[in-house]
Amino acid sequence: MVLSACTIASLAACAAEVPPPVPDEAGLPDAAITAFQDYLDRISENSLVCATDDISAARALSAYVDGDAVPDFVIETRALHCQTRRGEPAVGYFCGATACSLPLLLSGGEDGWQVVQLMSGNHVRAMEHYRETRIEVREIDRGAPGGRNVLVREYAWREGELVRINEYSEAAMTGSGTR
């Protein structure tokens, strides 16, 4: 009886603590969307128009990059349905012949959100390396003979900035349809 009462009291105490949401469930905050729209205005000299719903729908990756308890987001620009103020498609602002830009929205704590431009790539993922979250960006290695290699760049948040900490080329997987 006493053991049951202790168990119930422990469960009630644990239920009051709400852990931070896992990044994929957190959703893109309004302030992050506003920061991204400001970023788009800067890079396009006020020419791009991206609806809030389109930016929210284009989010491809979220992770805790900068060490605070607020998720950060990498925007998949290839999936954005923006237009220029003249009504033209906006893909030229984001994508080149072989890769698209992958901007990172970092929660700045009390300072708001900031947009950090990652290198261009075709695929992005977050991974844990010891106690550090890394962002891995992959793209076709145009410098490799035969075009069968993938260039991999890893980024990490160190001393208040996002830095590239690793770059290497690896053989592309063929026949699997994953890249």
Side-chain angles (χ1 to χ4, degrees):
M1 180 85 156
V2 173
L3 181 59
S4 295
C6 289
T7 303
I8 291 171
S10 296
L11 289 174
C14 290
E17 295 178 23
V18 178
V22 293
D24 291 335
E25 296 174 356
L28 198 58
D30 292 340
I33 292 171
T34 300
F36 187 66
Q37 287 171 326
D38 291 344
Y39 166 78
L40 295 176
D41 285 344
R42 282 193 313 275
I43 68 166
S44 72
E45 297 178 350
N46 296 318
S47 178
L48 286 177
V49 179
C50 293
T52 300
D53 291 342
D54 288 335
I55 294 170
S56 293
R59 180 176 56 89
L61 172 82
S62 55
Y64 296 102
V65 176
D66 60 359
D68 62 9
V70 180
D72 307 298
F73 303 91
V74 176
I75 299 295
E76 176 63 59
T77 56
R78 176 177 32 216
L80 281 176
H81 298 290
C82 302
Q83 295 291 319
T84 64
R85 297 216 185 267
R86 295 181 299 256
E88 302 161 341
V91 69
Y93 282 99
F94 307 120
C95 298
T98 61
C100 294
S101 63
L102 298 165
L104 172 65
L105 299 177
L106 282 170
S107 57
E110 295 176 15
D111 297 334
W113 289 81
Q114 64 176 334
V115 180
V116 176
Q117 182 60 49
L118 295 178
M119 298 290 286
S120 295
N122 305 109
H123 182 265
V124 63
R125 74 178 180 126
M127 59 187 192
E128 293 298 317
H129 184 76
Y130 297 102
R131 294 184 176 183
E132 172 178 78
T133 300
R134 291 187 179 178
I135 301 293
E136 180 184 85
V137 178
R138 297 171 163 273
E139 76 171 297
I140 297 167
D141 189 350
R142 294 180 300 273
R148 298 187 184 257
N149 284 3
V150 174
L151 184 61
V152 181
R153 296 180 188 99
E154 293 177 5
Y155 298 87
W157 188 257
R158 294 190 178 161
E159 298 179 16
E161 66 180 345
L162 192 71
V163 295
R164 185 170 50 192
I165 56 169
N166 199 5
E167 182 173 327
Y168 57 93
S169 185
E170 65 182 25
M173 295 173 56
T174 58
S176 66
T178 59
R179 292 194 187 144

